[in-house]
Amino acid sequence: MKLNAELIRRYDCHGPRYTSYPTAVQFHTGFNEQHYRRIALLSNSARPRPLSIYVHVPFCARPCFYCGCNKIITRNPAHAEQYLQRLHREIELQGTLFERRRSVRQLHFGGGTPTYLTPPQMAALFEQLGRQFNIDHSGQREFSIEIDPRTLDEQTLPALAALGFNRLSLGVQDFDARVQRAVNRIQSVAQIERCVTQARSLGYRSMSFDLIYGLPLQTLESFGKTLDTVVQMRPDRIAAYGYAHMPRLFKAQRAIRAEQLPDADTRLQLLALTVERLTDAGYVYIGMDHFALPDDDLAVAMRDGSLHRNFQGYSTHGDCDLVGLGISAIGAVGNSYSQNHKHLSAYYQALDAGRLPVERGIALSIDDEMRREIIQRLMCNGTLSMRDIESRYALEFGDYFGPELSALDALANDGLVTRDDEFIRITQSGRALLRTVAMVFDAHLRRSATMQYSKVI
C-alpha cells in the first residue's frame, strides 16, 4: 500500500488522537469523586457491562528522552512500595462500586515501566485485584502488559504468565545504535529476540511492538533496516507512532537536539516506508499507526465491526466499562470520563483521607455521545451509516450535521472519503488521515486551540 504524499502534506495539521471523545482537553475539575461514584453505581444496571481495568505504574529506572508519558524516574525501591500501598487502597475503594457479577475481561498494565515492579509485588497486586473484582481467567480474557526488555530476567515472563497475562507490548522504537544513543534507549536486537522466543515458548497469545518514526538521526535507510528486522520477528501487532516533539510540555525531550530531528518531508517518507513495508509483509493496516497480522484479534475485530478505540489506542472489548487505577489513569464508565490526580502528593493525599483520587472528568451530553459514536465508527470500522445514527438518535442527519457534511465533501473531493445517501466510507488514502476526518465531527475543537495537540503525521 502506498500513501499519497501530496494529500498528507495538505492535511498534516495539529489534531487529537481521539482515544476519547470528548478528548482529555475537555475534562474539568467540576466533575469530581461524587459524580464518578454516582455514575459508577448507576452502571450496575439490569444489564451491566463487563469491565476493563487499566493500571498505571509510573516508575522508570532511567529516562527515555522521547517519552511523553506520566512517569517518575527513580531507582529507590521504597518509592514503589509507598505507591503500591496507595494503589491497593484505591483498588479496594473502586471495588466497592462494581457488582461482583461484572467480570473483568480486559486488563492492561501501562507506565512508566510496569516491569519495574518485582514478581512478588506484581503477585500481591493481582491478589488484591482478585479480592475486589471478579477477574475472568477464561481463555477469552485479554491481560496485557507493557514490557521494557532491558528490565527482564529469565523469571519475569514465566511469573507474568502464571498470573494470567497473555499479551505483551514491547517497547522497541528503533534498532539503530545512533538513534538509540540520541534518545537514551539502548537495547540490542538480541534482547528483543530472547524476549520474543521465551514469550512464544510460554504460550503468550499475542505480542505487539511499539516503533517510533521521526526520532533524531533517523534516516530512511536506517529505519528500513529496523522494519526489516521487526518483520523477521513477526510480532502479531505493530504500532508505529510519529514522534511528537513538545519540549515545553515534556522535560525529558529537552535533551533531544532539535537539529537532529528529521524534517517534515523525511517524516512523511518514514511513514510511507513503514506502511508500504509492513503491508507488503502481510500486515493489515488498521489505520493511523496500527498494524496487525490478518488472524490477530485486532484485524478480526476490524472485519467484524467490533474494533474499539480507547486510551491504549486500538483495542477489542469495546463493550466494557473502563476502570482507571493509579496516578493520572483515565477511566470511561457509563456516559463519563474521569482522570486521577497527575501528581503523587495529591494522589496520596486523597487516598490517605479515604477518598478516590479523581481530579477531573466529564459527563457526556447526548450530542457528545452521538459524536463519539460517529468518530468511533469512522476510525474503527471505516464506515458510518447515517441512517443508523438517525434511527438511534431520532434526528435528520443532513439537518443536524449540515456544516460537517459540507466539510466532508471537501475531503471527498480529495479522495479521503466517499459519501452517498446512506454511508460515509473511509478510502485507502484516508486511513492514514483518520484524525483529519474525525476532526470534522468534533464540536469542541471549534472552541479550543489545536496547537496543543500533536501533528496528525
Side-chain angles (χ1 to χ4, degrees), residues 7 30 38 45 77 159 309 353 391 398 404:
L7 280 180
R38 183 168 62 251
S45 60
R309 190 156 175 78
S391 175
E404 287 84 352

Side-chain angles (χ1 to χ4, degrees), residues 162-428:
L163 291 174
F165 284 105
N166 56 7
R167 293 185 181 272
L168 301 178
S169 177
L170 275 66
V172 173
Q173 325 313 352
D174 195 314
F175 282 127
D176 184 83
R178 293 172 68 241
V179 175
Q180 290 185 357
R181 286 193 295 271
V183 298
N184 198 39
R185 175 83 179 209
I186 299 171
Q187 57 192 18
S188 67
V189 173
Q191 282 178 300
I192 305 297
E193 287 178 331
R194 283 195 298 271
C195 181
V196 169
T197 299
Q198 186 184 29
R200 286 179 172 150
S201 72
L202 291 167
Y204 278 88
R205 181 175 173 182
S206 176
M207 271 177 292
S208 175
F209 282 10
D210 285 352
L211 305 177
I212 301 179
Y213 69 88
L215 292 175
L217 302 177
Q218 268 182 348
T219 65
L220 290 172
E221 180 181 3
S222 70
F223 200 59
K225 291 178 180 178
T226 288
L227 291 170
D228 287 342
T229 303
V230 166
V231 165
Q232 289 172 5
M233 295 187 195
R234 211 67 180 166
D236 303 273
R237 302 177 187 178
I238 298 171
Y241 300 108
Y243 170 62
H245 191 57
M246 298 179 172
R248 289 185 295 107
L249 295 178
F250 307 115
K251 184 177 179 180
Q253 293 187 357
R254 297 169 196 170
I256 288 179
R257 296 171 59 181
E259 68 272 14
Q260 293 182 340
L261 293 171
D263 60 25
D265 279 346
T266 303
R267 280 178 63 94
L268 175 54
Q269 292 176 60
L270 287 166
L271 172 61
L273 175 68
T274 301
V275 173
E276 184 174 353
R277 193 71 57 90
L278 295 181
T279 54
D280 284 350
Y283 284 88
V284 177
Y285 187 26
I286 303 298
M288 289 176 56
D289 34 38
H290 280 61
F291 304 81
L293 291 175
D295 59 349
D296 183 79
D297 288 351
L298 213 58
V300 172
M302 182 182 177
R303 290 194 296 271
D304 68 20
S306 63
L307 190 65
H308 181 64
R309 190 156 175 78
N310 62 20
F311 297 99
Q312 285 78 57
Y314 282 105
S315 175
T316 55
H317 296 282
D319 59 335
C320 295
D321 277 329
L322 172 63
V323 180
L325 300 170
I327 183 175
S328 77
I330 296 177
V333 176
N335 67 337
S336 74
Y337 294 109
S338 59
Q339 184 171 28
N340 283 350
H341 286 287
K342 298 179 182 179
H343 301 289
L344 275 183
S345 58
Y347 177 77
Y348 288 175
Q349 184 178 18
L351 288 164
D352 289 348
R355 294 183 284 105
L356 285 170
V358 176
E359 179 184 24
R360 61 186 192 137
I362 187 170
L364 277 63
S365 66
I366 295 297
D367 181 79
D368 288 334
E369 291 185 25
M370 177 170 54
R371 291 175 185 274
R372 175 173 66 176
E373 183 173 347
I374 290 170
I375 289 171
Q376 279 275 347
R377 292 193 187 188
L378 289 172
M379 297 192 78
C380 296
N381 305 330
T383 302
L384 173 72
S385 168
M386 293 179 281
R387 300 293 84 83
D388 189 29
I389 296 297
E390 288 179 335
S391 175
R392 284 173 55 77
Y393 293 95
L395 52 78
E396 172 61 44
F397 198 97
D399 292 341
Y400 197 95
F401 292 106
E404 287 84 352
L405 291 178
S406 295
L408 210 61
D409 286 340
L411 301 185
N413 290 336
D414 282 333
L416 300 185
V417 300
T418 62
R419 180 167 76 87
D420 56 30
D421 289 341
E422 182 172 356
F423 292 101
I424 299 168
R425 293 185 174 91
I426 307 292
T427 66
Q428 278 292 88

Side-chain angles (χ1 to χ4, degrees), residues 38-78:
R38 183 168 62 251
I39 290 172
L41 290 170
L42 286 172
S43 71
N44 297 311
S45 60
R47 299 179 63 185
R49 290 151 58 92
L51 298 178
S52 172
I53 293 179
Y54 172 76
V55 181
H56 191 73
V57 181
F59 302 105
C60 297
R62 60 185 70 85
C64 300
F65 295 157
Y66 55 79
C67 185
C69 299
N70 190 340
K71 60 191 177 298
I72 297 167
I73 308 301
T74 180
R75 298 192 181 187
N76 184 349

